[in-house]
Amino acid sequence: MDKKAIGIDIGGTSFRMGAVTSDGTVTCFRKVSSRTICEGGEAVLLLAEQIRHFICEHGLEGRIAAIGIGFPSPVDAAKEVVYNCPNLQNETGGFDGRNVVKLLEERLSVPVFINKDANNLLQYELEIHGWKNQGTTIGIYYGTGIGNSVYLNDHFLSGKHGVACDLGHLPFYLSDRCCTCGNRGCAECYGSGRALRELWETHYGEEELSDIFTHHGGDQVILEFLEAMAIPFAAEVNIFDPDRVVIGGGVAEMKGFPFERLMEYVYEFTRKPYPGRDFSVIKASREPGAGAVGSALYALEQLGYGKGE
Ligand SMILES: [Zn+2]
């Protein structure tokens, strides 16, 4: 029998949920406002209700092998507890510090596997491109913050506490800008969607944010923004000497985003002669369900079901 998992990708404004077979085929899909899991109670219990509703709605009772969820937050090394999701807050603290796996498994009686969202997005790319066992792959996602995932020696880097590769919090020298993490000078203060929005409000607030690159791609403040995006990117390339880097996230997908310009800054900072320019750069898939599919494939992999089994 073909194994099916529910994959969920949780973002600050919406979350996506799909039933996915082990070859990555999506059989049912739903996009829901994240308010439904933040407003009116304990976030994990509201999420459990949404999952239960999805299972009933699509007649999936007894047909789900696992549930995989990607959070916009690091999770602990045991992959049970969500550390902190600043974009999913409510009066009871949102998902922060909750053992999401235990709470959901108690209510849904299905194995649950959680991950930081960047790992599940990269899982999707690894599967569709066949990059498993193919050297080192890095994913950098310029969204509200900077998401990051590193896959080497056939594993995602996790670290002692599960927080490895939080590239958005690479510190910049002599900075006094405050980051949402509480530190000062993090890369996210300069090269993220949040930073771009601040830059837009300061310089171009009378225009549409979506036009910022098409109208002002060559302006000094935009070039400085691109350089700030390039610094953590190049730093990670210099550390890992990767085979390939996947670039995604809302900022990199904006209209007229100056990708070549970004890469010129990156190549300026990468060590010569190697890694230099000798790594592939791939734009992330724009498939809207990529994170949900990646979450489901991750869950099935944890159960020992490989691709297409
Ligand atoms: Zn920070």
Side-chain angles (χ1 to χ4, degrees), residues 168-170 178-189:
H169 304 283
L170 185 87
C178 293
C179 182
T180 54
C181 74
N183 283 356
R184 67 176 170 86
C186 294
E188 280 187 9
C189 301

Side-chain angles (χ1 to χ4, degrees), residues 29 44 83 90 145 150 152 158 181 197-198 202 241 281 292 302:
F29 188 75
V44 186
Y83 279 142
N90 66 10
V150 173
L152 82 167
S158 173
C181 74
R197 177 169 283 278
E198 288 169 7
T202 304
D241 185 14
V281 179
Q302 300 311 300

Side-chain angles (χ1 to χ4, degrees), residues 30-298:
R30 192 157 181 253
K31 183 179 166 188
V32 190
S33 166
S34 295
R35 295 212 315 267
T36 60
I37 51 171
C38 288
E39 293 179 2
E42 179 67 26
V44 186
L45 305 187
L46 293 171
L47 176 60
E49 275 314 303
Q50 288 291 330
I51 297 170
R52 209 192 310 269
H53 178 69
F54 182 80
I55 289 172
C56 292
E57 187 182 21
H58 297 286
L60 296 167
E61 295 94 338
R63 297 169 56 199
I64 295 299
I67 296 168
I69 310 174
F71 282 93
S73 159
V75 302
D76 73 322
K79 295 204 182 295
E80 293 184 354
V81 177
V82 171
Y83 279 142
N84 59 327
C85 301
N87 298 329
L88 293 165
Q89 277 303 327
N90 66 10
E91 61 280 3
T92 61
F95 291 93
D96 296 8
R98 305 298 196 276
N99 189 319
V100 173
V101 169
K102 181 167 170 283
L103 292 167
L104 289 182
E105 287 184 346
E106 280 170 6
R107 281 157 184 83
L108 300 168
S109 304
V110 176
V112 174
F113 300 95
I114 67 168
N115 217 342
K116 70 171 176 179
D117 53 5
N119 280 359
N120 288 350
L121 286 168
L122 192 59
Q123 173 97 19
Y124 178 83
E125 304 290 341
L126 293 167
E127 294 284 355
I128 62 167
H129 294 287
W131 290 333
K132 291 272 178 80
N133 311 311
Q134 300 289 321
T136 303
T137 305
I138 287 171
I140 304 177
Y141 300 93
Y142 296 97
T144 306
I146 303 175
N148 181 219
S149 176
V150 173
Y151 184 83
L152 82 167
N153 298 332
D154 310 324
H155 287 90
F156 288 95
L157 266 187
S158 173
K160 180 181 176 185
H161 305 96
V163 301
C165 312
D166 213 349
L167 193 61
H169 304 283
L170 185 87
F172 281 16
Y173 182 52
L174 292 179
S175 167
D176 56 5
R177 289 199 198 175
C178 293
C179 182
T180 54
C181 74
N183 283 356
R184 67 176 170 86
C186 294
E188 280 187 9
C189 301
Y190 296 89
S192 67
R194 192 183 300 113
L196 182 68
R197 177 169 283 278
E198 288 169 7
L199 190 157
W200 166 70
E201 286 169 353
T202 304
H203 297 277
Y204 311 111
E206 69 286 358
E207 299 177 38
E208 293 292 323
L209 174 59
S210 58
D211 291 329
I212 197 166
F213 292 121
T214 47
H215 291 180
H216 302 287
D219 290 10
Q220 186 59 28
V221 288
I222 299 296
L223 296 178
E224 287 170 6
F225 173 76
L226 294 172
E227 183 169 337
M229 290 177 74
I231 289 170
F233 185 152
E236 196 161 69
V237 168
N238 286 343
I239 292 168
F240 289 107
D241 185 14
D243 291 82
R244 62 196 71 82
V245 181
V246 177
I247 296 300
V251 174
E253 293 176 0
M254 279 173 71
K255 187 175 54 173
F257 179 77
F259 204 83
E260 279 75 34
R261 203 73 192 246
L262 169 68
M263 290 314 302
E264 286 310 312
Y265 282 119
V266 170
Y267 295 140
E268 188 183 335
F269 295 128
T270 51
R271 195 183 183 287
K272 318 299 182 299
Y274 300 117
R277 292 172 176 250
D278 196 23
F279 57 95
S280 305
V281 179
I282 302 100
K283 292 180 186 173
S285 160
R286 295 198 178 195
E287 164 60 48
V293 174
S295 300
L297 294 176
Y298 169 71

